[in-house]
Amino acid sequence: MSHVCFSDIDLLIDEGKKEILINPKGERFYFVECDEQHKIFRDAIMRYDSVEERYEIEGEQTLYTEHKGMGLDYEKILCLHPQELIHKKSFFGFTWYNVCGVLKREIRSVYLCQYKDYRIHERSAVLSYSYEER
């Protein structure tokens, strides 16, 4: 049996540090690199399953995958990379395929947390903010 701990939030989970950071919905996590975006769940619901003794997180994620490559066989390149990022090149009758770009996907998923205990830090509201240019 599971019960909802938090809903309508944005959430960042760090399994290595066993911590969950909760932001108000719409407040971004600016310190997270592109290759770590899979740790962020937007418009999320966090439940605790008392039978399995674990947290479940359901939310929207943005996944980024960088694609780079080059080859002569289009079918082999197509197996590894999105078609939209493959560009045909030719020079004096010699043809090859070049791949360079980032694939961005928006998904909704359910994540089953690895551990039973986490340090949970809830940021309940943003009180103020300012900008400094350097």
Side-chain angles (χ1 to χ4, degrees), residues 22-113:
I22 298 171
N23 271 356
K25 185 176 173 180
E27 183 63 25
R28 290 180 50 199
F29 297 92
Y30 288 101
F31 55 88
V32 181
E33 299 286 335
C34 280
D35 61 343
E36 298 292 314
Q37 290 291 313
H38 66 279
K39 296 179 178 183
I40 296 175
F41 293 81
R42 295 178 322 281
D43 192 17
I45 299 169
M46 187 169 125
R47 297 179 186 93
Y48 184 75
D49 186 338
S50 56
V51 175
E52 297 290 329
E53 295 183 332
R54 68 178 174 204
Y55 288 102
E56 298 173 1
I57 300 167
E58 179 181 347
E60 297 172 4
Q61 294 176 282
T62 304
L63 304 180
Y64 295 91
T65 310
E66 186 174 0
H67 291 267
K68 289 183 181 178
M70 187 170 54
L72 302 174
D73 187 339
Y74 179 78
E75 291 300 320
K76 285 184 181 179
I77 293 289
L78 187 58
C79 289
L80 299 172
H81 307 286
Q83 182 179 16
E84 295 79 7
L85 298 177
I86 300 172
H87 302 284
K88 184 177 180 178
K89 304 283 184 175
S90 60
F91 187 70
F92 288 118
F94 180 71
T95 302
W96 71 96
Y97 299 93
N98 192 34
V99 180
C100 187
V102 176
L103 172 64
K104 176 183 174 184
R105 294 171 288 159
E106 300 287 337
I107 63 169
R108 180 137 189 110
S109 61
V110 175
Y111 180 79
L112 305 176
C113 296

